[in-house]
Amino acid sequence: MKLSEWARRNGVHYQTAWQWARDGKMPVPVVKTATGRYMVLDRTAEVTGRTVAYCRVSGTDQLAELDRQAARVVSAATGMGLTVTEVVGEVGSGMDGDRPKLARLLRDASVGVIVVERRDRLARFGLEQLSAALEATGRRIVVIDDTEGGEGAVPGARVDDELLRDMAEVLTSLCARLYGRRSAARRARAALRAAFEAA
């Protein structure tokens, strides 16, 4: 889980938890991700099934990136104490509900943990609801890099602003339909910057 979430649950100020993690004084196991963020290893949530890495790219021209993404996810998951038993790679839009490999993973009760690199690799919208539904059956989703530096990131924007993230995701998906996938994130960022400057 994220360090901020652990701090909130345990009544510790985030800055204090960060200093503990930095100085190696945390009362629970902590790992530092490739992006420099601290993640608390949640030993209380016992994994009751297999751990599967799910990787996705938008088009067939990105197949090489799919392999690199899989290597990053497996490496990060291993660093968090998870043993990945299968890697599932899929080509398809994050907005498209027709992703048979993801549907198979979600239906498979033997899969206890689904590990993804970023939230948008699994779903553009509704990740919180999907996580809640899986947790109700004793399963969970682990997001390796939960920063807002994904495709819809806006430079200078607050990281914890959920409304901004949702706007970026909507704009990215609309721009992808209008202008093509490659320039969608750039156009979405430009639109959000223009909205901020006008405000």
Side-chain angles (χ1 to χ4, degrees):
M1 85 177 70
K2 292 183 352 185
L3 184 62
S4 58
E5 175 68 12
W6 180 88
R8 187 183 61 75
R9 287 185 185 182
N10 290 279
V12 177
H13 191 275
Y14 173 73
Q15 214 42 26
T16 302
W18 181 83
Q19 288 173 348
W20 288 351
R22 182 193 63 193
D23 299 339
K25 296 179 179 177
M26 282 288 285
V28 293
V30 176
V31 294
K32 193 171 186 179
T33 66
T35 58
R37 300 187 83 194
Y38 290 103
M39 299 291 287
V40 175
L41 298 179
D42 189 2
R43 300 292 187 200
T44 60
E46 288 298 317
V47 178
T48 57
R50 297 181 303 124
T51 298
V52 176
Y54 177 77
C55 305
R56 180 189 65 80
V57 292
S58 298
T60 54
D61 59 330
Q62 300 171 319
L63 289 176
E65 172 55 26
L66 189 61
D67 292 337
R68 290 190 293 270
Q69 185 183 140
R72 290 190 302 265
V73 171
V74 170
S75 174
T78 302
M80 296 172 81
L82 299 169
T83 303
V84 175
T85 60
E86 181 184 357
V87 176
V88 174
E90 190 157 40
V91 177
S93 169
M95 296 294 293
D96 190 358
D98 184 28
R99 285 188 275 155
K101 291 182 180 180
L102 176 60
R104 179 183 58 82
L105 273 183
L106 295 174
R107 282 193 300 265
D108 188 348
S110 73
V111 177
V113 179
I114 299 173
V115 185
V116 294
E117 183 173 37
R118 292 192 325 260
R119 55 185 290 122
D120 68 341
R121 297 299 88 196
L122 190 64
R124 288 279 182 195
F125 302 103
L127 184 65
E128 292 80 8
Q129 291 81 8
L130 185 57
S131 291
L134 287 175
E135 286 173 12
T137 61
R139 302 161 70 197
R140 63 189 169 121
I141 296 170
V142 174
V143 180
I144 300 295
D145 181 5
D146 204 19
T147 64
E148 300 306 317
E151 294 177 48
V154 180
R158 284 181 32 209
V159 172
D160 60 345
D161 191 345
E162 288 187 36
L163 180 59
L164 178 63
R165 182 183 62 226
D166 291 344
M167 285 177 53
E169 289 173 349
V170 169
L171 282 172
T172 300
S173 66
L174 293 175
C175 288
R177 290 180 185 194
L178 287 172
Y179 306 112
R181 304 219 184 279
R182 290 188 181 269
S183 66
R186 180 178 46 81
R187 289 178 185 260
R189 284 192 300 271
L192 284 170
R193 266 195 302 275
F196 276 116
E197 290 169 3

